[in-house]
């Protein structure tokens, strides 16, 4: 559906100066996902809907008045039970740009310290009229449990997983996808632009929910995804996740021909790669000694200009942040716009999160 085809929707999305919010077709009528919890079962059409919707919001963000009344009167609550800089701020700004009222919960200063359960905290925000909850927690499954409770209560509240333990971080993978696809086609980014591209994901895969979500999205595109890390951070359990010929087990939709490869050294993953995603060493999640030293890790898996010579000449480097400068990536490479998409990822995050809040809002009407 074109937004402009629906008169009531057009009014709702009018920009204050009378400029329509978008004349780009946003296939929101095909969107019926109330919650965004995982990318495991995302379809190519859903990826393309997110990408196209984010382009429209990127256009809004380039205007002088960077705001639309799309979610006016709605309450978005950020429930972050774990520290965050960019994800929480990015959702807050996205909600504000959509004119929602935003509540920010941080666990350290909350009634959790008085013994309140997580579910009761969520219900407290529900009782205040929350329409959408953006949830981060150090345990996998918490956003799913809260979404199930909202469904059981039949309250039509949307839940978005902003990172649950080691499990998934869908909005980060979607903004990574948007960053890459808009580089390839700024006007019409779509999933199949990545078909045949080689993407290396390097580092602490074991502890990375970002890697897990990116594996789903990037393999859905037809790209070849190559994971590289030391055996302690890229354990055999990932080998169980993929079959010997590289296909992911239990992949859904099963029609997708996913290509995923594992390497315990860097060079085969980097060779001719079009994109390299580096991941933070998540020291706070490491329960025992998984690495000899940070220096040794950098020596073996750190991304440097020298190592990028193995890649395709137009290679670009991504990192979800926060970065351990000089560990997973060389410090000046990180700031070099010829190679680094890191600040672009942060910028893209706002438009993509606006798209996700908008689409979840559409699924509830
Ligand atoms: C990631 C996360 O929290 O999972 N960061 C983020 O959301 N930008 C990755 C990380 O913490 O290393």
């Amino acid at each position: 559906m074109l937004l402009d085809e629906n008169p009531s929707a057009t009014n709702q999305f009018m920009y204050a100066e009378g400029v329509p919010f978008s004349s780009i077709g946003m296939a929101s009528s095909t969107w019926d996902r109330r919650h965004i919890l995982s990318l495991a079962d995302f379809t190519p059409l859903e990826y393309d809907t997110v990408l196209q919707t984010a382009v429209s919001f990127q256009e809004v963000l380039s205007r002088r008045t960077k705001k639309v009344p799309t979610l006016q009167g709605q309450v978005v609550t950020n429930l972050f039970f774990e520290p965050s800089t960019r994800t929480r701020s990015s959702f807050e700004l996205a909600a504000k740009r959509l004119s929602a009222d935003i509540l920010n919960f941080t666990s350290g200063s909350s009634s959790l310290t008085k013994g309140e359960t997580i579910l009761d905290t969520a219900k407290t925000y529900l009782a205040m009229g929350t329409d959408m909850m953006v949830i981060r927690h150090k345990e996998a499954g918490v956003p799913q449990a809260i979404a199930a409770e909202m469904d059981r209560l039949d309250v039509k509240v949307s839940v978005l997983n902003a990172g649950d333990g080691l499990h998934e971080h869908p909005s980060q993978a979607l903004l990574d996808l948007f960053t890459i696809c808009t580089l390839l086609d700024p006007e019409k980014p779509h999933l199949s632009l990545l078909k045949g591209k080689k993407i290396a994901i390097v580092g602490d895969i074991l502890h990375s929910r970002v890697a897990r979500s990116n594996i789903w999205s990037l393999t859905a595109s037809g790209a070849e995804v190559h994971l590289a890390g030391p055996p302690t951070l890229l354990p055999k359990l990932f080998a169980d996740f993929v079959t010997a010929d590289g296909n992911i087990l239990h992949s859904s939709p099963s029609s997708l021909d996913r290509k995923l490869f594992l390497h315990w050294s860097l060079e085969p993953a980097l060779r001719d790669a079009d994109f390299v995603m580096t991941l933070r060493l998540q020291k706070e999640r490491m329960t025992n000694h998984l690495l000899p030293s940070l220096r040794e890790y950098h020596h073996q898996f750190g991304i440097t200009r020298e190592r990028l010579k193995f890649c395709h000449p137009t290679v670009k480097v991504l990192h979800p942040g926060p970065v351990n400068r000089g560990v997973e990536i060389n410090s000046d490479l990180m700031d070099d716009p010829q190679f680094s998409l890191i600040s672009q990822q942060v910028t893209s995050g706002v438009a993509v999160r606006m798209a996700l809040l908008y689409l979840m809002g559409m699924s509830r009407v």
Side-chain angles (χ1 to χ4, degrees):
M1 175 186 79
L2 284 177
L3 270 183
D4 293 346
E5 281 170 11
N6 175 339
S8 59
T10 306
N11 281 342
Q12 198 186 355
F13 294 98
M14 288 293 266
Y15 164 53
E17 292 166 20
V19 182
F21 155 58
S22 172
S23 56
I24 299 177
M26 292 203 293
S28 49
S29 58
T30 62
W31 190 272
D32 56 8
R33 205 180 269 274
R34 180 182 302 169
H35 311 298
I36 299 176
L37 301 170
S38 159
L39 297 184
D41 62 349
F42 252 57
T43 64
L45 180 60
E46 287 177 302
Y47 286 114
D48 283 345
T49 301
V50 171
L51 294 173
Q52 284 170 36
T53 309
V55 169
S56 303
F57 286 115
Q58 198 180 40
E59 189 274 316
V60 168
L61 295 174
S62 70
R63 296 175 184 172
R64 193 166 51 84
T65 305
K66 300 169 175 45
K67 207 161 173 146
V68 281
T70 311
L71 294 185
Q72 206 158 43
Q74 305 250 329
V75 178
V76 176
T77 299
N78 265 338
L79 282 160
F80 277 60
F81 299 92
E82 213 189 43
S84 169
T85 302
R86 61 214 87 213
T87 305
R88 193 167 68 83
S89 304
S90 181
F91 271 111
E92 180 170 352
L93 188 57
K96 285 178 172 164
R97 298 293 200 209
L98 293 167
S99 305
D101 295 313
I102 174 102
L103 297 174
N104 275 308
F105 160 92
T106 34
S107 50
S109 55
S110 74
S111 292
L112 277 185
T113 56
K114 300 180 187 167
E116 184 171 75
T117 68
I118 293 169
L119 222 45
D120 284 337
T121 303
K123 284 184 190 165
T124 301
Y125 283 99
L126 171 67
M128 281 184 216
T130 291
D131 298 285
M132 295 184 208
M133 295 184 188
V134 178
I135 302 175
R136 167 171 289 193
H137 198 280
K138 70 174 185 351
E139 303 297 342
V142 168
Q144 291 78 352
I146 294 177
E149 180 66 4
M150 295 301 139
D151 290 347
R152 194 186 64 78
L153 297 171
D154 199 18
V155 287
K156 290 197 170 176
V157 166
S158 288
V159 174
L160 190 146
N161 176 5
D164 64 323
L166 307 186
H167 178 225
E168 282 217 43
H169 191 349
S171 68
Q172 179 68 43
L174 291 168
L175 76 87
D176 292 341
L177 185 69
F178 182 76
T179 306
I180 293 175
C181 290
T182 46
L183 188 79
L184 300 172
D185 185 344
E187 315 257 284
K188 215 171 177 312
H190 53 283
L191 193 66
S192 59
L193 288 167
L194 293 187
K195 200 170 169 53
K197 300 279 183 206
K198 178 170 175 180
I199 302 172
I201 305 181
V202 179
D204 186 358
I205 314 261
L206 175 65
H207 298 104
S208 179
R209 52 197 177 204
V210 174
R212 285 175 180 77
S213 289
N214 263 307
I215 288 170
W216 289 122
S217 55
L218 298 173
T219 57
S221 74
E224 266 192 18
V225 178
H226 291 252
L227 308 179
T232 46
L233 299 180
L234 177 50
K236 285 210 181 92
L237 75 93
F238 271 89
D240 297 335
F241 187 54
V242 288
T243 57
D245 57 4
N247 290 326
I248 299 183
L249 290 175
H250 314 304
S251 120
S252 171
S254 54
S255 56
L256 296 175
D257 176 23
R258 298 179 186 265
K259 297 185 183 70
L260 183 71
F261 303 89
L262 274 68
H263 308 277
W264 288 344
S265 63
L266 191 55
E267 199 187 309
L270 292 191
R271 196 161 290 287
D272 299 322
D274 299 282
F275 296 94
V276 178
M277 284 188 177
T278 56
L279 300 170
R280 186 174 66 88
L281 284 181
Q282 305 215 4
K283 286 174 269 178
E284 76 279 14
R285 295 189 206 278
M286 293 189 189
T287 46
N288 44 28
H289 303 288
L290 295 172
L291 290 170
S293 71
L294 294 184
R295 228 172 113 186
E296 176 63 16
Y297 174 82
H298 182 72
H299 181 62
Q300 301 235 356
F301 288 96
I303 302 300
T304 60
R305 282 172 204 281
E306 202 51 39
R307 291 205 159 123
L308 288 185
K309 289 184 184 149
F310 292 122
C311 303
H312 190 276
T314 61
V315 67
K316 300 284 181 219
V317 180
L318 297 96
H319 192 303
V323 178
N324 295 308
R325 274 183 185 266
V327 179
E328 51 260 6
I329 182 168
N330 181 264
S331 183
D332 75 304
L333 179 62
M334 182 184 157
D335 300 323
D336 181 347
Q338 192 199 332
F339 293 107
S340 173
L341 294 177
I342 297 172
S343 68
Q344 190 50 51
Q345 286 171 276
V346 177
T347 305
S348 300
V350 180
V352 170
R353 287 173 171 129
M354 286 173 82
L356 298 179
L357 295 176
Y358 163 80
L359 289 167
M360 291 199 308
M362 292 301 283
S363 75
R364 296 182 309 114
V365 287

